[in-house]
Each structure stands twice: as structure tokens, then as C-alpha cells.
Amino acid sequence: RFLVKGGLAGAAVYVAYDQGLLGSGIEGAEALKKAQETLPPAIQEWTDYLGWEVRAAQLPSTPKIDFSLSASWNKGVHTVMSALSVAPTRACEYTVEGWKYVKDLVK
């Protein structure tokens, strides 16, 4: 079982890497666009193959995603760096508050 699960996980990582999902933000955006173009015809093909009747009204439309991976990545990097830059100051403040609290408890 472990080997099967490990093989499936490895295959999933390989496919994600092969499709460009683990690359830069631009490659990820291109992979997302490609998936949005490919998915509806693939669903229709499978429903035809299985003999299911799916009307166009039953299938939800592909959501329009206005999402910039590079902008989100940059915002995350800025947030982390901002937190790291104030971390020493905050650590000193929390240490002082902790000592005050301990002193108050000892009194």
C-alpha cells in the first residue's frame, strides 16, 4: 500500500512539474489558462463516452479568475520580510512584558 501511495504521489508531483505548475508564476498562469481551455471539452468527451446526457445548462461555466500569481507572491514575500524585520524589536518588547508579568506574580 505504501509503495502504491508513494508512486501516486510521485506521479502527481511529476505531472505538476511537467505541466509547469511548480515553475515561475508566469508558467503557472499559462498552465491554468491551458487547463481552463482543455477541461470543458474533456468533460464533454467523457460524458459522451459514458453515455451520460449532460445539457449545457447543467454544466457550470468556467469561472473567470482575475488572479496574478506574481503579485500575490510578491505581496507574500513583502509580508514575510516585514514580519522578520520587526521580529527582534517585538521579541524584546515581549520579553520586557514577560519579565514585568513574572515580577508582578512574585510580589
Side-chain angles (χ1 to χ4, degrees):
R1 281 180 113 172
F2 177 73
L3 292 176
V4 171
K5 289 180 183 180
L8 289 174
V13 170
Y14 173 76
V15 168
Y17 175 77
D18 188 48
Q19 295 298 317
L21 295 175
L22 300 178
S24 67
I26 295 169
E27 291 173 350
E30 289 173 2
L32 178 63
K33 184 184 237 182
K34 188 168 117 178
Q36 287 176 337
E37 293 170 354
T38 306
L39 198 57
I43 291 173
Q44 186 62 45
E45 182 180 333
W46 274 97
T47 55
D48 292 344
Y49 176 76
L50 295 173
W52 295 344
E53 182 181 338
V54 178
R55 295 184 206 114
Q58 290 176 334
L59 289 176
S61 63
T62 307
K64 301 296 179 199
I65 299 174
D66 186 23
F67 178 73
S68 171
L69 290 173
S70 61
S72 296
W73 175 262
N74 290 340
K75 183 178 178 184
V77 169
H78 285 291
T79 302
V80 168
M81 291 302 145
S82 173
L84 289 176
S85 70
V86 298
T89 305
R90 294 287 165 96
C92 291
E93 291 173 2
Y94 293 148
T95 303
V96 169
E97 289 179 19
W99 278 112
K100 285 181 185 177
Y101 179 74
V102 170
K103 286 179 182 177
D104 291 342
L105 286 177
V106 172
K107 287 183 183 179

